[in-house]
Amino acid sequence: MVKSKKFNAGDLNTFKNSIFITKTSEETRNLGKKFAAVLKSGDIIFLKGNLGSGKTTFTQGVVKAFGNKGFARSSSFMLVNEYDANDLKLFHLDLYRLQPSSVWDVGIEDYIYSGNISLIEWADRLIGFENDNHWNVEIENTGSERKIKIEKQK
Ligand SMILES: Nc1ncnc2c1ncn2[C@@H]1O[C@H](COP(=O)(O)OP(=O)(O)O)[C@@H](O)[C@H]1O
Ligand SMILES: [Mg+2]
């Protein structure tokens, strides 16, 4: 795996504003697994990228890192999947089926402001979201390789 900075799992600065290249879905899953180590109560993670870019694959690594046996599936037909994250909950939300206009009608606040950890696919549908300190994980599909940009403002 090629990365732009020295890789120390669990080190916040490893993930803040970094770019990673993964060559296989396993590497993307492993990146999610390592990223999970920096997550804490209240964190909100926006997962961006085209269909099939690897948002769910990345999430599978995060889910696994917290010791969950179940494998995260693409939750496009379901709004929320819930997993354990130590003494917290990990919510995997997929907004693909929602219109941006109705996204706030389904109680999303109850998850993302609950003090747990929320990973959100298709988070660009969250129009009017006011929080300038979420994680952004943006995946670009360049053939079999994925360019994964991870950012956090503060
Ligand atoms: N480097 C890679 N990282 C992630 N997925 C990859 C990679 N190379 C190939 N793939 C494949 O791309 C697909 C990604 O699907 P998925 O994670 O469900 O995407 P999304 O949730 O963004 O729609 C999977 O079929 C996976 O096996
Ligand atoms: Mg998906």
Side-chain angles (χ1 to χ4, degrees):
M1 196 192 302
V2 183
K3 55 257 169 191
S4 60
K5 292 181 183 172
K6 196 169 183 299
F7 197 91
N8 293 308
D11 179 357
L12 199 62
N13 291 321
T14 300
F15 290 102
K16 266 191 179 178
N17 311 319
S18 297
I19 293 173
F20 302 88
I21 308 289
T22 64
K23 293 190 191 303
T24 63
S25 46
E26 198 51 41
E27 285 187 0
T28 299
R29 225 171 269 127
N30 280 334
L31 184 64
K33 222 166 160 179
K34 284 170 176 148
F35 174 67
V38 304
L39 295 178
K40 55 178 178 43
S41 166
D43 275 352
I44 299 167
I45 303 100
F46 281 17
L47 295 161
K48 299 179 179 176
N50 293 336
L51 205 60
S53 60
K55 302 181 293 299
T56 300
T57 303
F58 183 87
T59 301
Q60 286 169 352
V62 178
V63 166
K64 215 171 164 191
F66 286 110
N68 292 280
K69 293 214 172 67
F71 214 49
R73 278 156 298 139
S74 196
S75 54
S76 294
F77 293 98
M78 248 177 292
L79 183 64
V80 186
N81 283 316
E82 194 177 315
Y83 303 91
D84 289 322
N86 298 336
D87 48 352
L88 301 171
K89 292 280 173 207
L90 178 74
F91 299 122
H92 176 206
L93 295 98
D94 194 319
L95 309 183
Y96 185 63
R97 304 267 148 193
L98 295 180
Q99 296 298 321
S101 58
S102 65
V103 96
W104 294 108
D105 297 341
V106 294
I108 282 170
E109 304 96 309
D110 296 346
Y111 295 100
I112 62 180
Y113 298 131
S114 66
N116 289 284
I117 299 169
S118 299
L119 288 132
I120 313 175
E121 294 193 42
W122 301 96
D124 41 330
R125 285 168 171 55
L126 280 178
I127 305 289
F129 176 73
E130 286 176 30
N131 175 312
D132 61 355
N133 199 31
H134 55 270
W135 288 94
N136 253 321
V137 176
E138 207 168 327
I139 309 181
E140 200 182 311
N141 186 342
T142 54
S144 71
E145 283 192 357
R146 300 296 192 273
K147 186 173 154 193
I148 304 177
K149 195 162 88 185
I150 302 184
E151 294 174 316
K152 193 169 192 274
Q153 287 173 2
K154 290 179 193 159

